[in-house]
Structures are given as structure tokens and as C-alpha cells.
């Protein structure tokens, strides 16, 4: 277990030793857990041959790709953990993180109100029939996707992740405007689960800065009331879509998820072995033709109760480490994880979903920064409430 105060980790950094030296048991133990998850996921590919479901030609490529994404995550953890996170490096990363989030927010907003950018990309990128997600992006384009993906859930998750990363790198400053921008752009992205996750993140962060955040939200809300008559025509569709969050129990608002969930559950309940050990990485989309659109179900189907237990234990330990640090960056990262877990009710946010691209490696970067004190010997800004 990591030293709650991070003193052992800091000691290893102070003397310039490699990060996984004797003075850094916290991150070394975290790497061991990441390697365990990667190894077990790779081993689960064997189950594809044991279960003999008859869709190996589909399941195996997806399974290999998902294991490859976990390899990326593991490599990112190992590489970033070996860096000396000096104050200068973190300042540079902070500027890049803020600029990256602002760019993503701008493109999401632009592509909601104008189809110009998708049409332009459609003229430059490979044409119809070429494999890849970009073809789908501009051939069947929905507003508010920015330049990230064809998947609404991925766009909203990246907005939340990038916004939280920018905030985490500015932990000693006011971030109310970033919080508001996260919510507004997640709203425009069209992802309902993503919007819920963003709102939860804002509420959790608002506990630390209640007065400033409340005033900012009131001012923006008041401005929105005055602007609504001019934007009503453009926003009618997105308002109608996002308002269905309030009727989550209505199966008509689940976009076919109820049928998908029933299909996955029937398969799990019909075969106890499948429920216990899973069917192998990639088997979900191989056997059902679509992902589960709920992370717990996806993990259960692919890796069984055994895999779900490992995953829950991993995130439980990670959240415990972040909580015990009681530092500003760690607190933000903990709020981010809680918010992302809420989104998993309707998507596979923390699973190596092919549609989610670079999300997990970037989340790994954020978690390492949150867990690592500065190499200069100065700890993270303390957790405190702002006036």
C-alpha cells in the first residue's frame, strides 16, 4: 500500500533515483496491479477458444485490440512513472492540457452549430468504403462531435477528462470557468451519460469552492435565459435529447440499451461458467454484435465475476490512495473517477472500448500526475476550501 502522505515516494524522487526504486513502493505496487490486469486480460483470450461460440472471426480481432489498448495503458503507466515531474515540466503540461481542452471545447461547439468542419474533413480524409472511424464520422455525422470521434460518449468523456486534467494542473487557481465549460460542452456533445458525469464532477468540485462556483453558475444561467430566444431553434433538438435524462426509467429513452442488456443478462444467467469466468475479451461484441453499453455487464461477459472483482478491487485501491493523500490534485482526480464511474451505467467508459480511442492512456497520465508529488521536493497544494 502507498504511504498515505506520499513521504516514501517523495524521498525516492528527492535523490534522483528511478521512480521504481526502493523508495517508491506506492507506484511500484500500482504498476504491479496494472500488469496483473493486463496479464489476466491477455490470458482471457484463451477462453474464446474454450467457449467455442462460433463467432471467433469477429471476437478474436476485437479481443486482441482490447488487450492492445491495455498494453498501451500499461506502457503509459510505466513511462510516465519514470519521469521526474518537476514544477517546470508540470507547468508546461498544464499549458498544453488547458490549450488542448479549449481546442476540443471549441470544435465541439463549432460542429454543433455548423457542419462546415465535418464537410471540410470529409473532402480531405479518405472517401467512402475506406476502413476506419473517420469515414463513419463525416458520412453519418451528428452535431457536437468536434473532431474527436463518431461516438457521443467518447466525446463527452474526453471533454470531462481534458477539463479535469487542465484543472488538476492549475490546482492553485480558480477553475470555475473550466467547470462551466465542461458542463456546457458535454451538453452540446449530445451524450446523456456524459452530461450526468460532468454535472456530478461540478457538484463534487463545487464543495471546495461553493460561493465562487455558485455565483458563476448563476451568472451563466442568467445569461443563458437572455440568450435562449436567439438560440432556441438551434438548441431545441439537443434540449429534447438531454431532457430525457430526467426519464431514465423509460425504455424508449435508452436507445435500444434495454434489449442489449437483456440479451447479455440472458447469456450470463444461462451459463454459470460464463458468469464466473467470462467468455474471453472481445466475445461480447462477437456474440451480440454490439457492446453492452454498460461497463459492469461488459466486464462480466468478457471476464466474468473473476474479472469484475479484479477491476473493482483495482479502482477501490486507487481511489483509496487518492483519498488518503488529501492533496488538491489527488482530490480532483478522485472526483473525476467517481464521475466517470457514474457514466459507466450507460457505456463502457473505463473498459478498453475500441470507440474510446486514447481515453484510457490519457486517464492513466492524469492518475499518475495526481499520485506523484513534485520532483523538486515540494508536495502538492494542500486540500482546502476557497472562500
Amino acid at each position: 500500500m502507498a504511504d498515505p502522505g506520499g513521504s516514501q515516494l517523495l524521498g525516492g524522487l528527492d535523490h534522483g533515483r528511478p521512480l521504481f526504486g526502493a523508495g517508491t513502493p506506492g507506484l511500484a505496487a500500482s504498476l504491479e496491479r496494472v500488469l496483473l490486469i493486463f496479464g489476466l486480460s491477455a490470458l482471457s483470450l484463451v477462453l474464446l477458444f474454450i467457449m467455442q461460440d462460433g463467432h471467433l472471426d469477429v471476437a478474436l480481432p476485437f479481443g486482441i485490440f482490447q488487450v492492445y489498448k491495455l498494453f498501451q495503458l500499461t506502457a503509459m503507466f510505466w513511462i510516465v512513472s519514470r519521469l521526474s515531474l518537476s514544477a517546470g515540466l508540470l507547468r508546461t503540461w498544464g499549458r498544453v492540457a488547458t490549450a488542448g481542452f479549449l481546442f476540443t471545447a471549441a470544435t465541439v461547439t463549432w460542429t454543433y452549430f455548423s457542419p462546415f468542419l465535418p464537410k471540410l474533413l470529409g473532402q480531405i480524409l479518405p472517401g467512402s468504403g475506406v476502413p476506419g472511424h473517420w469515414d463513419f464520422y463525416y458520412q453519418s455525422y451528428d452535431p457536437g462531435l468536434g473532431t474527436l470521434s463518431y461516438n457521443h460518449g467518447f466525446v463527452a468523456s474526453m471533454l470531462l477528462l481534458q477539463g479535469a486534467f487542465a484543472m488538476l494542473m492549475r490546482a492553485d487557481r480558480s477553475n470555475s470557468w473550466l467547470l462551466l465549460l465542461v458542463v456546457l460542452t458535454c451538453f452540446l456533445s449530445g451524450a446523456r451519460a456524459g452530461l450526468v458525469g460532468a454535472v456530478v464532477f461540478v457538484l463534487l468540485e463545487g464543495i471546495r469552492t461553493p460561493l465562487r462556483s455558485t455565483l458563476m453558475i448563476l451568472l451563466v444561467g442568467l445569461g443563458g435565459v437572455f440568450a435562449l430566444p436567439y438560440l432556441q431553434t438551434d438548441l431545441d433538438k439537443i434540449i429534447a435529447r438531454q431532457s430525457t435524462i430526467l426519464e431514465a426509467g423509460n425504455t424508449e429513452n435508452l436507445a435500444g440499451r434495454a434489449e442489449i442488456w437483456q440479451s447479455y443478462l440472458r447469456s450470463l444467467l444461462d451459463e454459470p461458467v460464463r458468469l464466473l469466468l467470462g467468455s474471453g475479451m472481445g466475445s461480447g461484441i462477437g456474440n451480440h454484435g454490439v457492446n453492452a453499453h454498460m461497463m459492469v455487464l461488459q466486464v462480466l461477459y468478457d471476464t466474468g465475476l473473476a474479472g469484475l472483482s479484479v477491476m473493482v478491487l483495482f479502482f477501490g485501491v486507487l481511489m483509496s490512495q487518492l483519498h488518503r493523500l488529501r492533496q488538491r490534485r489527488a482530490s480532483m482526480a478522485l472526483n473525476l473517477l467517481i464521475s466517470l464511474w457514474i457514466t459507466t451505467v450507460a457505456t463502457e467508459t473505463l473498459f478498453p472500448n475500441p470507440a474510446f480511442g486514447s481515453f484510457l492512456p490519457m486517464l492513466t497520465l492524469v492518475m499518475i500526475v495526481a499520485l506523484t508529488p513534485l520532483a523538486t521536493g515540494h508536495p502538492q497544494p494542500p486540500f482546502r476550501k476557497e472562500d
Side-chain angles (χ1 to χ4, degrees):
M1 290 297 293
D3 182 349
S7 58
Q8 294 178 330
L9 176 58
L10 185 58
L13 288 170
D14 279 342
H15 297 88
R17 292 193 292 269
L19 193 56
F20 289 127
T24 60
L27 283 180
S30 297
L31 177 61
E32 290 175 359
R33 291 190 287 269
V34 171
L35 286 169
L36 174 64
I37 291 176
F38 169 68
L40 292 175
S41 299
L43 185 62
S44 77
L45 291 174
V46 177
L47 288 171
L48 294 174
F49 299 91
I50 296 175
M51 299 302 292
Q52 297 181 344
D53 289 321
H55 302 284
L56 190 62
D57 57 329
V58 177
L60 186 58
F62 272 101
I64 292 174
F65 181 82
Q66 289 168 5
V67 172
Y68 164 70
K69 297 305 294 184
L70 289 175
F71 171 77
Q72 280 188 328
L73 182 157
T74 306
M76 175 68 78
F77 191 104
W78 183 78
I79 292 170
V80 177
S81 295
R82 292 183 65 85
L83 294 177
S84 178
L85 300 184
S86 65
L89 178 62
L90 290 179
R91 279 195 298 269
T92 300
W93 282 8
R95 289 191 289 268
V96 173
T98 302
F101 170 64
L102 291 178
F103 175 80
T104 302
T107 58
V108 166
T109 304
W110 184 10
T111 55
Y112 180 83
F113 290 102
S114 170
F116 172 78
L117 191 56
K119 289 182 178 179
L120 176 64
L121 292 173
Q123 296 172 4
I124 298 173
L125 296 169
S128 180
V130 177
H133 296 157
W134 278 110
D135 184 35
F136 189 87
Y137 166 84
Y138 65 80
Q139 292 292 338
S140 305
Y141 184 75
D142 286 333
L145 292 177
T147 57
L148 282 177
S149 172
Y150 65 93
N151 186 287
H152 292 274
F154 173 63
V155 173
S157 296
M158 285 300 292
L159 284 166
L160 176 54
L161 178 59
Q162 285 185 294
F165 191 25
M167 290 176 55
L168 189 139
M169 305 306 291
R170 299 161 36 95
D172 57 341
R173 308 180 202 176
S174 171
N175 289 303
S176 298
W177 66 277
L178 284 172
L179 285 171
L180 285 168
L181 195 54
V182 166
V183 173
L184 291 174
T185 50
C186 283
F187 173 81
L188 293 177
S189 75
R192 289 166 291 187
L195 176 59
V196 172
V199 170
V200 170
F201 182 70
V202 169
L203 292 175
L204 291 172
E205 282 296 309
I207 295 173
R208 177 166 42 246
T209 58
L211 179 59
R212 186 175 299 172
S213 295
T214 301
L215 289 176
M216 183 77 74
I217 291 171
L218 286 175
L219 288 174
V220 172
L222 185 62
V225 170
F226 284 108
L228 190 58
Y230 304 97
L231 299 174
Q232 189 169 4
T233 301
D234 294 319
L235 295 176
D236 274 349
K237 184 177 179 180
I238 193 68
I239 290 173
R241 174 181 173 85
Q242 297 290 23
S243 64
T244 60
I245 292 172
L246 302 175
E247 302 174 359
N250 187 345
T251 56
E252 294 181 0
N253 296 327
L254 295 176
R257 282 176 171 81
E259 292 78 11
I260 296 171
W261 294 340
Q262 289 174 5
S263 175
Y264 269 80
L265 280 173
R266 280 196 299 267
S267 297
L268 288 169
L269 295 177
D270 288 346
E271 299 183 56
V273 173
R274 198 185 296 268
L275 177 61
L276 182 63
L277 298 177
S279 308
M281 294 291 284
S283 60
I285 194 168
N287 294 340
H288 296 270
V290 65
N291 285 319
H293 292 286
M294 179 187 287
M295 191 178 71
V296 170
L297 269 182
Q298 189 76 54
V299 175
L300 272 176
Y301 193 89
D302 281 16
T303 63
L305 286 170
L308 182 62
S309 299
V310 172
M311 185 176 192
V312 170
L313 182 61
F314 172 79
F315 279 102
V317 172
L318 177 58
M319 289 181 178
S320 177
Q321 284 182 275
L322 292 169
H323 176 70
R324 290 182 181 182
L325 281 175
R326 295 197 59 79
Q327 303 290 340
R328 192 74 175 276
R329 295 201 308 262
S331 174
M332 289 180 178
L334 177 59
N335 291 340
L336 172 63
L337 278 182
I338 293 172
S339 304
L340 290 173
W341 263 95
I342 289 174
T343 68
T344 65
V345 173
T347 188
E348 310 89 19
T349 313
L350 301 173
F351 186 82
N353 185 342
F356 273 48
S358 57
F359 178 79
L360 285 180
M362 185 173 177
L363 178 63
T364 303
L365 171 64
V366 174
M367 291 300 115
I368 294 242
V369 171
L371 287 167
T372 307
L374 299 180
T376 56
H378 300 293
Q380 298 183 23
F383 175 84
R384 67 181 185 276
K385 287 189 175 182
E386 297 180 6
D387 295 329

